[in-house]
Amino acid sequence: MNQSIITASVSMSGMQRKIDVISDNVANVDTYGYKRKTASFADVLTNVTGQHNHFEQPGRATPLGFTNAYGMRMTGTMRDFSMGEINPTDVPTDFALIGEGLFEVASPEGTAFVREGNFQLIPAEGGEALLATQFGAPVQGMLDGAPVDFRIRVNEGYQMQVDEQGRVFEVKSSTGEQHYLGSLRIVRPTKPELLLQVDDNRYVIPEGIDRNSVVQELNLTEAAADGIVPLKVRQGALETSNVSLIDEMSELIQAQRAYQMASRALSSADQMWGLANSIRG
């Protein structure tokens, strides 16, 4: 009975954590660029208990012994980086990535990566406008494909235009004058499970992990050796969350039923303890 109580309580804790993951997904269903989280589970202290030889009866097809375990626990969460829908906005500072990729931004904690491209132009020195996130983090750029510390700045009186290769231009609408400013710095996550999500829907690389083992620098201005374009940049559009409310509600119902079953098992084990304690010999 003691094992029954432990198994039920451990399973309830795991289901509660899964419900928390589902709640986080549902809460961010309208967050641009949000990627759905999934929970992974593993058995706790699984072992095989041996049986005496007299259990080996004629016709038995299974080996001696039976499996013991103490429920299951949630071992971690993973990100589903599949694409959401592309929603046109016609806002020149909105960008969507068609393919696997992340925008690189600068933050007080260091380099960070974002999927949502609802950027803005904020005033900077000399009458320029700096391309930044909604939380003021500057968007990183590249010059001639070189990944240097570079910021996208648009001069006063010009409008920003970005092509599918992520190249940024400033254009004066009155004269058609055009200047090349650089390219958006975009990376592709090669091991997304190592990216750590922090506030403001940002991803960072944990300390002690090599950047090159987690993300790959992309230079969209150069043709790939296989001729396949890794991704495209679309200006005036945003990617919606890839969370499906139907799937999340289905997962929630299953998790709640599993939690309820574990709760009943815990209650039954407690009642059995009560009956055993009430016996007077």
Side-chain angles (χ1 to χ4, degrees):
M1 286 184 290
N2 187 40
Q3 182 178 351
S4 299
I5 292 177
I6 295 175
T7 301
S9 61
V10 170
S11 299
M12 288 175 63
S13 176
M15 283 297 102
Q16 180 60 59
R17 293 185 63 188
K18 181 174 182 178
I19 292 174
D20 293 341
V21 171
I22 296 173
S23 301
D24 195 14
N25 289 335
V26 173
N28 288 279
V29 68
D30 292 326
T31 301
Y32 286 113
Y34 179 82
K35 296 304 176 185
R36 177 177 179 265
K37 293 191 294 186
T38 58
S40 57
F41 292 86
D43 293 333
V44 177
L45 298 178
T46 303
N47 61 80
V48 177
T49 301
Q51 292 177 314
H52 195 271
N53 291 335
H54 67 260
F55 281 94
E56 189 172 3
Q57 300 295 326
R60 176 168 178 164
T62 59
L64 290 177
F66 59 93
T67 303
N68 263 330
Y70 288 86
M72 54 81 193
R73 64 183 180 89
M74 194 176 83
T75 57
T77 58
M78 296 178 293
R79 287 282 171 177
D80 176 12
F81 273 87
S82 61
M83 279 195 59
E85 296 183 0
I86 303 300
N87 181 25
T89 63
D90 296 326
V91 178
T93 54
D94 285 347
F95 301 95
L97 294 177
I98 304 177
E100 294 183 6
L102 297 169
F103 297 104
E104 184 170 331
V105 300
S107 65
E109 299 84 7
T111 300
F113 309 95
V114 297
R115 180 72 183 187
E116 59 177 332
N118 53 338
F119 300 146
Q120 61 177 337
L121 289 171
I122 60 177
E125 298 178 357
E128 296 177 329
L130 176 68
L131 184 64
T133 67
Q134 292 295 319
F135 301 96
V139 179
Q140 295 284 58
M142 295 191 302
L143 276 177
D144 300 325
V148 296
D149 188 13
F150 177 72
R151 310 289 168 83
I152 303 296
R153 299 176 184 269
V154 180
N155 288 306
E156 186 177 1
Y158 288 82
Q159 295 180 344
M160 181 179 61
Q161 289 186 0
V162 180
D163 62 12
E164 291 185 346
Q165 296 176 321
R167 295 179 298 185
V168 184
F169 302 88
E170 59 176 11
V171 180
K172 182 171 287 189
S173 57
S174 59
T175 62
E177 181 183 356
Q178 178 176 288
H179 301 132
Y180 173 67
L181 300 178
S183 301
L184 295 173
R185 191 170 182 180
I186 301 171
V187 300
R188 177 171 56 192
T190 54
K191 293 183 179 179
E193 66 275 9
L194 296 181
L195 289 173
L196 177 65
Q197 187 181 22
V198 293
D199 55 351
D200 303 335
N201 204 15
R202 296 176 298 145
Y203 301 95
V204 297
I205 300 176
E207 294 183 6
I209 298 181
D210 182 27
R211 170 193 172 101
N212 295 327
S213 65
V214 182
V215 297
Q216 175 190 3
E217 298 282 351
L218 294 180
N219 184 5
L220 304 181
T221 60
E222 294 183 356
D226 54 6
I228 300 177
V229 179
L231 60 80
K232 294 181 180 180
V233 180
R234 182 173 175 183
Q235 186 179 16
L238 289 172
E239 179 191 4
T240 61
S241 168
N242 65 350
V243 174
S244 169
L245 279 180
I246 296 177
D247 294 340
E248 297 305 317
M249 289 299 103
S250 176
E251 291 278 345
L252 180 60
I253 292 174
Q254 294 180 19
Q256 286 179 329
R257 287 177 177 175
Y259 185 93
Q260 185 180 27
M261 184 175 63
S263 176
R264 289 179 177 176
L266 179 63
S267 178
S268 298
D270 183 61
Q271 290 177 6
M272 292 173 66
W273 270 113
L275 289 175
N277 291 331
S278 64
I279 294 177
R280 296 291 184 270

